Structure formats: structure tokens, C-alpha cells
Amino acid sequence: MTLKEQVEALAVKVDAQLKDLVRRLPSPADEVAYEVDAPNLLSVCRTLRDAPELKFEMLMDVAGIDYLHYGLDEWQTLSATRSGFSRGRVARPNKPDPNMPRRFGVVYSLLSIANNQRLRLHVRCPDTQEPVVDSVFEIWNSANWFEREAFDLFGIIFRGHPDLRRILTDYGFIGHPFRKDFPLIGNVEVKYDTEKRRVVYQPVSIVPRVLVPKVIRDDHRYEPALHEPQLPR
């Protein structure tokens, strides 16, 4: 059975088990991806774990997503952008709306050890102002720190998580640094005050800068002709 046939066979099993609860998403030829609505997340995850035909018993990763700039940025890396700058400055056809519906989402990467298969499950948070989805900790215990990371960096709240608190940033950190509208220089900085003899927070002193124009050019040093063996004269 070819890889494509294996992927399609898995999709048939998922469709048979979950029917209208999930929608298949476009994905690379060797992957299977589905989207589920937030109210059905836990029931779908339990089926993916417990159905004998599926047996996705391991949660490999949980990743937050901010769709604020989705489809608007010029993420070109092999040539210069139209504006002449790299990722430091991009030309956007529209100004993104921070209150756009369903701005935040979560992706679950699942592995079936028994069947040697992988699947990605997407869910969007219904409320942008208070992005909330159910925690899958009771289904896969490995979600514990993954969900804390998504909460810390994106501000996504996982309902029912046993210990939802920051895991990477400091206790007094303001905001969520992986949100697309979070300033690249941050909001505050931390330093040790020798007079007060303690760590203090203060406004950021870093000056914003624009990256220099970037154009990737071919390097003549790697031309194949330069490395061909020289014939004896």
C-alpha cells in the first residue's frame, strides 16, 4: 500500500467514526488534518483515542495559532519583498482587525503507536476577546505543559486544566508574546537596581529599528564549475 493509499484509508476510518463532527482540511500528501468545532472537541478526542480503528493514544504536541495576519504578510525568503525589506517590514493590503471572529486556534498533533499513523486536529476559539477551549488533559495527560505554554504565549484559556499558569515568561509578565499584535520590543524590561537591591520592572528602553533591505543573491563561490577537477596539462 502506497503512502497516499494509507492516508486515504485513515481518512475513511475517521469519517466513518466521526461523521459530521469533523471536517477534513487541506494538508500535504502524507498527512491527514481535520477541524472540529469547540463544543465537540472532547467527544472527538475521546473517539480518536478509544476507537480500535484509530487508537491515537499519544498526544505529541499542542500549539496555539493567531490568525490575525493570516494571508496578509509577505513571507518571502528566497527573494526580496515588493517593499524591498525582509520580515522586518512587510506591505499589507489590509489592516488586520484584532477583534476578527475566531482569531485564535489550537492544533493537536496525534500519534497512533499501534497503527503507526499521525493526525492533526484543529479547533478555533469561538470568542476572540476571551479565547477558550476545553482542556484535553483528562484524555491525554501530556497536554498539561503544552496547554500551559499556549496559555502563556497566546492567552488561550483551557477550561478544566488542573494548573493553568504561565510556564515560560516571568510571573509579572504583561501580555502574550506570540500574539501577532504584541510589540517586538515587548512592553516592559527587567533589570537589577543596585540602589534598591532588587529586580525592578521599567518601560522598555530598546529603540525600535527597521531591518536593512535583504536580497538573496547567488554566491559564485559555489558554482559547480569552480569545483570540477582540473585536467592535467
Side-chain angles (χ1 to χ4, degrees), residues 3-13 24 29 32:
L3 180 58
K4 182 178 180 180
E5 291 173 340
Q6 294 176 6
V7 168
E8 293 304 320
L10 174 58
V12 170
K13 295 176 183 178
R24 191 171 180 183
V32 179

Side-chain angles (χ1 to χ4, degrees), residues 141-152:
N141 292 157
S142 60
N144 190 340
W145 283 16
F146 291 142
E147 291 180 345
R148 284 181 59 187
E149 182 180 36
F151 163 71
D152 189 357

